[in-house]
């Protein structure tokens, strides 16, 4: 079953809005210091989300030219690298990147034609991958960012 493009966009927007509400409720120093999981602060979660949005953009571009992106590192390494690469950035810069990465992905998805949305290419192992299949995980109606937002809201007892 294919994911509807408009539905994908709506789910992404809902999660992003929810995360944005968290950022509005917290002072910048708290964003960088409150642990929200056993290993991450909100700052690190925000970096992780932005990095994955950039990754999606790369993956879409790769599939469209039949050169799927091969992610050599596991998720933990991928996330650690993202945080490490942004060590010197302040919260304001990170919020801008979080917004920018989101907007870039949404614009990319909105501009895909139906043909591009359903474009299929083969991965190295012969497995087929389509642009829309990147978003199959949204079938349950919540984005990864939305899940993180929900966890943070529960943990910090935010509205």
């Amino acid at each position: 079953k294919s994911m509807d493009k408009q539905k994908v966009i709506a789910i992404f927007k809902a999660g992003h809005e929810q995360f944005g509400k968290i950022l509005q409720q917290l002072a910048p120093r708290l964003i960088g210091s409150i642990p929200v999981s056993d290993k991450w602060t909100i700052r690190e979660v925000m970096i992780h989300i932005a990095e994955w949005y950039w990754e999606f953009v790369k993956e879409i571009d790769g599939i469209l030219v039949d050169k799927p992106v091969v992610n050599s590192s596991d998720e933990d390494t991928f996330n650690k690298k993202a945080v490490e690469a942004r060590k010197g950035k302040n919260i304001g810069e990170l919020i801008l990147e979080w917004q920018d990465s989101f907007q870039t992905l949404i614009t990319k998805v909105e501009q895909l034609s139906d043909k591009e949305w359903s474009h299929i290419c083969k991965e190295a192992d012969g497995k087929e991958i389509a642009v829309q299949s990147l978003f199959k995980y949204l079938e349950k109606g919540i984005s990864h960012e939305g899940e993180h937002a929900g966890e943070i809201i529960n943990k910090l007892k935010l509205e």
Side-chain angles (χ1 to χ4, degrees):
K1 196 175 89 65
S2 68
M3 280 297 286
D4 174 65
K5 194 172 84 167
Q6 293 314 317
K7 192 173 175 190
V8 165
I9 292 167
I11 293 169
F12 270 128
K13 284 185 174 173
H16 193 68
E17 202 173 300
Q18 205 182 5
F19 203 91
K21 284 183 182 154
I22 294 168
L23 298 177
Q24 286 167 0
Q25 291 179 61
L26 299 173
R29 64 183 177 77
L30 293 178
I31 292 171
S33 62
I34 301 180
V36 287
S37 72
D38 49 358
K39 47 185 181 193
W40 288 2
T41 63
I42 295 173
R43 177 185 197 274
E44 290 163 335
V45 172
M46 190 168 55
I47 290 172
H48 154 77
I49 292 164
E51 189 68 17
W52 276 102
Y53 284 151
W54 294 130
E55 189 63 21
F56 270 131
V57 170
K58 275 189 242 166
E59 289 185 7
I60 292 169
D61 287 341
I63 292 170
L64 291 177
V65 295
D66 298 318
K67 290 190 170 79
V69 172
V70 178
N71 222 322
S72 51
S73 58
D74 62 88
E75 216 166 304
D76 259 359
T77 311
F78 179 87
N79 293 328
K80 280 192 189 109
K81 273 190 202 157
V83 169
E84 196 56 37
R86 291 164 182 81
K87 256 211 335 232
K89 290 194 171 188
N90 65 40
I91 294 296
E93 291 171 306
L94 293 173
I95 289 174
L96 280 176
E97 186 188 2
W98 164 77
Q99 291 283 29
D100 191 32
S101 63
F102 173 77
Q103 210 34 71
T104 303
L105 175 62
I106 292 298
T107 303
K108 165 76 63 192
V109 172
E110 283 174 340
Q111 290 173 348
L112 292 170
S113 67
D114 290 345
K115 195 173 172 211
E116 288 170 326
W117 182 244
S118 51
H119 182 82
I120 294 172
C121 77
K122 280 192 179 6
E123 295 187 286
D125 60 7
K127 212 171 68 190
E128 290 192 336
I129 182 169
V131 170
Q132 63 182 359
S133 64
L134 295 173
F135 306 105
K136 202 165 167 40
Y137 77 98
L138 297 173
E139 274 174 350
K140 56 190 188 299
I142 186 168
S143 68
H144 188 65
E145 183 173 18
E147 285 174 349
H148 277 297
E151 287 163 6
I152 294 167
I153 288 164
N154 290 339
K155 177 135 175 116
L156 304 182
K157 315 251 185 292
L158 299 169
E159 285 305 305

